[in-house]
mmCIF file of all heavy atoms in Angstrom:
data_model
loop_
_atom_site.group_PDB
_atom_site.id
_atom_site.type_symbol
_atom_site.label_atom_id
_atom_site.label_comp_id
_atom_site.label_asym_id
_atom_site.label_seq_id
_atom_site.Cartn_x
_atom_site.Cartn_y
_atom_site.Cartn_z
ATOM 1 N N ALA A 22 39.429 9.674 -151.363
ATOM 2 C CA ALA A 22 39.589 8.746 -152.479
ATOM 3 C C ALA A 22 38.464 8.813 -153.498
ATOM 4 O O ALA A 22 38.521 8.133 -154.521
ATOM 5 C CB ALA A 22 39.688 7.314 -151.930
ATOM 6 N N ILE A 24 35.577 7.696 -152.904
ATOM 7 C CA ILE A 24 34.772 6.485 -152.693
ATOM 8 C C ILE A 24 33.470 6.833 -151.970
ATOM 9 O O ILE A 24 33.472 7.545 -150.966
ATOM 10 C CB ILE A 24 35.580 5.452 -151.879
ATOM 11 C CG1 ILE A 24 36.764 4.960 -152.713
ATOM 12 C CG2 ILE A 24 34.706 4.298 -151.414
ATOM 13 C CD1 ILE A 24 37.755 4.091 -151.952
ATOM 14 N N THR A 74 39.646 0.701 -148.206
ATOM 15 C CA THR A 74 39.490 0.333 -149.621
ATOM 16 C C THR A 74 39.295 -1.181 -149.728
ATOM 17 O O THR A 74 39.715 -1.937 -148.858
ATOM 18 C CB THR A 74 40.722 0.752 -150.459
ATOM 19 O OG1 THR A 74 41.906 0.323 -149.783
ATOM 20 C CG2 THR A 74 40.762 2.247 -150.664
ATOM 21 N N THR A 75 38.657 -1.578 -150.823
ATOM 22 C CA THR A 75 38.411 -3.003 -151.084
ATOM 23 C C THR A 75 39.341 -3.426 -152.197
ATOM 24 O O THR A 75 39.343 -2.815 -153.268
ATOM 25 C CB THR A 75 36.933 -3.196 -151.491
ATOM 26 O OG1 THR A 75 36.147 -2.723 -150.403
ATOM 27 C CG2 THR A 75 36.599 -4.652 -151.765
ATOM 28 N N ASN A 76 40.171 -4.443 -151.944
ATOM 29 C CA ASN A 76 41.288 -4.739 -152.848
ATOM 30 C C ASN A 76 41.163 -6.080 -153.568
ATOM 31 O O ASN A 76 42.144 -6.589 -154.100
ATOM 32 C CB ASN A 76 42.608 -4.687 -152.056
ATOM 33 C CG ASN A 76 42.716 -3.460 -151.174
ATOM 34 O OD1 ASN A 76 42.744 -3.562 -149.946
ATOM 35 N ND2 ASN A 76 42.731 -2.297 -151.782
ATOM 36 N N GLU A 77 39.960 -6.642 -153.590
ATOM 37 C CA GLU A 77 39.718 -7.948 -154.232
ATOM 38 C C GLU A 77 40.233 -7.950 -155.684
ATOM 39 O O GLU A 77 39.901 -7.075 -156.479
ATOM 40 C CB GLU A 77 38.189 -8.191 -154.185
ATOM 41 C CG GLU A 77 37.594 -9.026 -155.269
ATOM 42 C CD GLU A 77 37.595 -10.497 -154.933
ATOM 43 O OE1 GLU A 77 37.882 -10.832 -153.773
ATOM 44 O OE2 GLU A 77 37.321 -11.303 -155.842
ATOM 45 N N THR A 78 41.026 -8.938 -156.032
ATOM 46 C CA THR A 78 41.535 -9.070 -157.402
ATOM 47 C C THR A 78 42.059 -10.482 -157.597
ATOM 48 O O THR A 78 42.236 -11.214 -156.619
ATOM 49 C CB THR A 78 42.655 -8.035 -157.678
ATOM 50 O OG1 THR A 78 43.006 -8.085 -159.064
ATOM 51 C CG2 THR A 78 43.913 -8.277 -156.838
ATOM 52 N N TYR A 79 42.290 -10.884 -158.836
ATOM 53 C CA TYR A 79 42.974 -12.157 -159.077
ATOM 54 C C TYR A 79 43.591 -12.153 -160.475
ATOM 55 O O TYR A 79 43.277 -11.297 -161.308
ATOM 56 C CB TYR A 79 42.066 -13.378 -158.858
ATOM 57 C CG TYR A 79 40.698 -13.303 -159.500
ATOM 58 C CD1 TYR A 79 40.471 -13.814 -160.767
ATOM 59 C CD2 TYR A 79 39.626 -12.732 -158.813
ATOM 60 C CE1 TYR A 79 39.213 -13.754 -161.339
ATOM 61 C CE2 TYR A 79 38.365 -12.673 -159.379
ATOM 62 C CZ TYR A 79 38.168 -13.181 -160.646
ATOM 63 O OH TYR A 79 36.926 -13.111 -161.219
ATOM 64 N N ARG A 82 41.713 -12.038 -164.351
ATOM 65 C CA ARG A 82 40.302 -11.733 -164.105
ATOM 66 C C ARG A 82 39.708 -11.156 -165.390
ATOM 67 O O ARG A 82 40.346 -10.342 -166.045
ATOM 68 C CB ARG A 82 40.239 -10.691 -162.980
ATOM 69 C CG ARG A 82 38.863 -10.288 -162.559
ATOM 70 C CD ARG A 82 38.958 -9.279 -161.428
ATOM 71 N NE ARG A 82 37.695 -9.087 -160.777
ATOM 72 C CZ ARG A 82 37.525 -8.323 -159.691
ATOM 73 N NH1 ARG A 82 38.540 -7.701 -159.151
ATOM 74 N NH2 ARG A 82 36.341 -8.183 -159.148
ATOM 75 N N ALA A 109 45.366 0.923 -163.755
ATOM 76 C CA ALA A 109 45.197 2.160 -162.985
ATOM 77 C C ALA A 109 44.591 1.964 -161.588
ATOM 78 O O ALA A 109 44.458 2.925 -160.855
ATOM 79 C CB ALA A 109 44.362 3.149 -163.789
ATOM 80 N N ALA A 110 44.211 0.750 -161.248
ATOM 81 C CA ALA A 110 43.798 0.450 -159.857
ATOM 82 C C ALA A 110 44.263 -0.980 -159.642
ATOM 83 O O ALA A 110 43.494 -1.931 -159.650
ATOM 84 C CB ALA A 110 42.299 0.598 -159.672
ATOM 85 N N SER A 111 45.575 -1.120 -159.478
ATOM 86 C CA SER A 111 46.229 -2.428 -159.652
ATOM 87 C C SER A 111 46.089 -3.344 -158.454
ATOM 88 O O SER A 111 46.408 -4.518 -158.536
ATOM 89 C CB SER A 111 47.714 -2.222 -159.928
ATOM 90 O OG SER A 111 48.349 -1.659 -158.788
ATOM 91 N N SER A 112 45.667 -2.783 -157.320
ATOM 92 C CA SER A 112 45.592 -3.564 -156.098
ATOM 93 C C SER A 112 46.915 -4.294 -155.858
ATOM 94 O O SER A 112 47.979 -3.715 -156.073
ATOM 95 C CB SER A 112 44.382 -4.508 -156.127
ATOM 96 O OG SER A 112 44.210 -5.094 -154.853
ATOM 97 N N GLU A 116 46.713 -8.035 -161.584
ATOM 98 C CA GLU A 116 46.335 -7.513 -162.905
ATOM 99 C C GLU A 116 47.568 -7.074 -163.711
ATOM 100 O O GLU A 116 47.750 -7.534 -164.846
ATOM 101 C CB GLU A 116 45.328 -6.369 -162.729
ATOM 102 C CG GLU A 116 44.842 -5.774 -164.041
ATOM 103 C CD GLU A 116 43.761 -4.721 -163.785
ATOM 104 O OE1 GLU A 116 42.607 -5.084 -163.547
ATOM 105 O OE2 GLU A 116 44.091 -3.509 -163.820
ATOM 106 N N ASP A 139 47.928 2.464 -157.573
ATOM 107 C CA ASP A 139 46.800 2.323 -156.658
ATOM 108 C C ASP A 139 46.909 3.426 -155.610
ATOM 109 O O ASP A 139 48.006 3.974 -155.399
ATOM 110 C CB ASP A 139 46.838 0.940 -155.973
ATOM 111 C CG ASP A 139 45.476 0.510 -155.448
ATOM 112 O OD1 ASP A 139 45.070 1.008 -154.366
ATOM 113 O OD2 ASP A 139 44.803 -0.297 -156.113
ATOM 114 N N ILE A 140 45.813 3.711 -154.928
ATOM 115 C CA ILE A 140 45.858 4.704 -153.847
ATOM 116 C C ILE A 140 46.432 4.095 -152.566
ATOM 117 O O ILE A 140 46.963 4.797 -151.711
ATOM 118 C CB ILE A 140 44.446 5.275 -153.575
ATOM 119 C CG1 ILE A 140 44.530 6.531 -152.699
ATOM 120 C CG2 ILE A 140 43.529 4.235 -152.941
ATOM 121 C CD1 ILE A 140 43.205 7.251 -152.524
ATOM 122 N N SER A 141 46.334 2.770 -152.440
ATOM 123 C CA SER A 141 46.716 2.112 -151.191
ATOM 124 C C SER A 141 48.189 1.721 -151.212
ATOM 125 O O SER A 141 48.627 0.929 -152.064
ATOM 126 C CB SER A 141 45.843 0.859 -150.986
ATOM 127 O OG SER A 141 46.431 0.027 -150.027
ATOM 128 N N VAL A 144 48.739 -2.228 -150.491
ATOM 129 C CA VAL A 144 48.649 -3.188 -151.598
ATOM 130 C C VAL A 144 49.844 -3.040 -152.535
ATOM 131 O O VAL A 144 50.328 -4.030 -153.091
ATOM 132 C CB VAL A 144 47.310 -3.105 -152.381
ATOM 133 C CG1 VAL A 144 46.144 -3.517 -151.521
ATOM 134 C CG2 VAL A 144 47.078 -1.773 -153.052
ATOM 135 N N VAL A 196 49.133 6.353 -157.053
ATOM 136 C CA VAL A 196 48.406 7.389 -157.792
ATOM 137 C C VAL A 196 46.977 7.421 -157.261
ATOM 138 O O VAL A 196 46.298 6.388 -157.246
ATOM 139 C CB VAL A 196 48.385 7.090 -159.317
ATOM 140 C CG1 VAL A 196 47.507 8.109 -160.049
ATOM 141 C CG2 VAL A 196 49.795 7.101 -159.908
ATOM 142 N N ASN A 197 46.555 8.589 -156.805
ATOM 143 C CA ASN A 197 45.158 8.772 -156.401
ATOM 144 C C ASN A 197 44.401 9.286 -157.615
ATOM 145 O O ASN A 197 44.635 10.404 -158.083
ATOM 146 C CB ASN A 197 45.082 9.778 -155.241
ATOM 147 C CG ASN A 197 43.661 9.981 -154.753
ATOM 148 O OD1 ASN A 197 42.703 9.480 -155.349
ATOM 149 N ND2 ASN A 197 43.522 10.727 -153.668
ATOM 150 N N LEU A 198 43.486 8.471 -158.128
ATOM 151 C CA LEU A 198 42.757 8.842 -159.348
ATOM 152 C C LEU A 198 41.797 9.993 -159.100
ATOM 153 O O LEU A 198 41.269 10.587 -160.031
ATOM 154 C CB LEU A 198 41.976 7.622 -159.870
ATOM 155 C CG LEU A 198 42.832 6.404 -160.221
ATOM 156 C CD1 LEU A 198 41.942 5.192 -160.481
ATOM 157 C CD2 LEU A 198 43.701 6.691 -161.451
ATOM 158 N N ASN A 199 41.582 10.310 -157.825
ATOM 159 C CA ASN A 199 40.636 11.358 -157.449
ATOM 160 C C ASN A 199 41.288 12.743 -157.393
ATOM 161 O O ASN A 199 40.646 13.703 -157.011
ATOM 162 C CB ASN A 199 40.030 10.998 -156.084
ATOM 163 C CG ASN A 199 38.809 11.822 -155.757
ATOM 164 O OD1 ASN A 199 37.984 12.091 -156.629
ATOM 165 N ND2 ASN A 199 38.684 12.227 -154.499
ATOM 166 N N ARG A 214 39.678 -1.126 -164.018
ATOM 167 C CA ARG A 214 38.668 -2.159 -163.808
ATOM 168 C C ARG A 214 38.302 -2.302 -162.338
ATOM 169 O O ARG A 214 39.153 -2.349 -161.458
ATOM 170 C CB ARG A 214 39.200 -3.497 -164.341
ATOM 171 C CG ARG A 214 39.692 -3.391 -165.786
ATOM 172 C CD ARG A 214 39.952 -4.734 -166.422
ATOM 173 N NE ARG A 214 40.759 -5.616 -165.606
ATOM 174 C CZ ARG A 214 40.861 -6.923 -165.795
ATOM 175 N NH1 ARG A 214 40.201 -7.488 -166.790
ATOM 176 N NH2 ARG A 214 41.610 -7.648 -165.011
ATOM 177 N N ASN A 215 36.997 -2.387 -162.121
ATOM 178 C CA ASN A 215 36.450 -2.673 -160.788
ATOM 179 C C ASN A 215 36.875 -1.656 -159.733
ATOM 180 O O ASN A 215 37.125 -2.005 -158.582
ATOM 181 C CB ASN A 215 36.832 -4.111 -160.379
ATOM 182 C CG ASN A 215 36.340 -5.102 -161.416
ATOM 183 O OD1 ASN A 215 35.151 -5.144 -161.708
ATOM 184 N ND2 ASN A 215 37.242 -5.849 -162.025
ATOM 185 N N VAL A 216 36.941 -0.410 -160.148
ATOM 186 C CA VAL A 216 37.159 0.677 -159.179
ATOM 187 C C VAL A 216 36.071 1.741 -159.346
ATOM 188 O O VAL A 216 35.649 2.340 -158.362
ATOM 189 C CB VAL A 216 38.586 1.266 -159.289
ATOM 190 C CG1 VAL A 216 38.859 1.899 -160.640
ATOM 191 C CG2 VAL A 216 38.846 2.283 -158.181
ATOM 192 N N TYR A 219 32.956 2.113 -157.092
ATOM 193 C CA TYR A 219 32.963 2.781 -155.782
ATOM 194 C C TYR A 219 32.733 4.290 -155.896
ATOM 195 O O TYR A 219 32.674 4.979 -154.875
ATOM 196 C CB TYR A 219 34.303 2.528 -155.067
ATOM 197 C CG TYR A 219 34.578 1.055 -154.888
ATOM 198 C CD1 TYR A 219 35.551 0.413 -155.638
ATOM 199 C CD2 TYR A 219 33.818 0.302 -153.996
ATOM 200 C CE1 TYR A 219 35.784 -0.952 -155.496
ATOM 201 C CE2 TYR A 219 34.040 -1.059 -153.848
ATOM 202 C CZ TYR A 219 35.024 -1.673 -154.605
ATOM 203 O OH TYR A 219 35.236 -3.014 -154.463
ATOM 204 N N PHE A 220 32.659 4.820 -157.125
ATOM 205 C CA PHE A 220 32.561 6.269 -157.315
ATOM 206 C C PHE A 220 31.136 6.675 -157.698
ATOM 207 O O PHE A 220 30.411 5.891 -158.338
ATOM 208 C CB PHE A 220 33.502 6.714 -158.449
ATOM 209 C CG PHE A 220 34.966 6.416 -158.223
ATOM 210 C CD1 PHE A 220 35.819 6.223 -159.294
ATOM 211 C CD2 PHE A 220 35.501 6.346 -156.934
ATOM 212 C CE1 PHE A 220 37.174 5.974 -159.111
ATOM 213 C CE2 PHE A 220 36.857 6.092 -156.733
ATOM 214 C CZ PHE A 220 37.692 5.902 -157.824
HETATM 215 C C1 SAM B 301 38.534 -4.105 -156.320
HETATM 216 S S1 SAM B 301 40.181 -3.541 -156.604
HETATM 217 C C2 SAM B 301 40.324 -3.823 -158.358
HETATM 218 C C3 SAM B 301 41.663 -4.429 -158.741
HETATM 219 C C4 SAM B 301 41.831 -4.777 -160.214
HETATM 220 N N1 SAM B 301 41.731 -3.602 -161.070
HETATM 221 C C5 SAM B 301 40.845 -5.821 -160.660
HETATM 222 O O1 SAM B 301 39.912 -5.527 -161.413
HETATM 223 O O2 SAM B 301 40.986 -6.980 -160.236
HETATM 224 C C6 SAM B 301 39.945 -1.761 -156.506
HETATM 225 C C7 SAM B 301 41.233 -0.996 -156.217
HETATM 226 O O3 SAM B 301 40.992 0.383 -156.439
HETATM 227 C C8 SAM B 301 41.766 1.121 -155.517
HETATM 228 N N2 SAM B 301 41.236 2.492 -155.408
HETATM 229 C C9 SAM B 301 40.107 2.917 -154.799
HETATM 230 N N3 SAM B 301 39.994 4.252 -154.887
HETATM 231 C C10 SAM B 301 41.065 4.690 -155.590
HETATM 232 C C11 SAM B 301 41.523 5.968 -156.007
HETATM 233 N N4 SAM B 301 40.840 7.088 -155.717
HETATM 234 N N5 SAM B 301 42.680 6.050 -156.696
HETATM 235 C C12 SAM B 301 43.381 4.927 -156.986
HETATM 236 N N6 SAM B 301 43.021 3.689 -156.611
HETATM 237 C C13 SAM B 301 41.865 3.573 -155.921
HETATM 238 C C14 SAM B 301 41.658 0.309 -154.231
HETATM 239 O O4 SAM B 301 42.713 0.598 -153.336
HETATM 240 C C15 SAM B 301 41.689 -1.135 -154.763
HETATM 241 O O5 SAM B 301 42.982 -1.685 -154.689
#
Side-chain angles (χ1 to χ4, degrees):
I24 293 171
T74 48
T75 300
N76 313 115
E77 151 89 10
T78 187
Y79 47 93
R82 182 179 193 175
S111 66
S112 189
E116 181 175 281
D139 202 282
I140 193 173
S141 163
V144 294
V196 174
N197 182 353
L198 300 170
N199 194 40
R214 307 192 311 164
N215 303 303
V216 62
Y219 302 108
F220 300 152

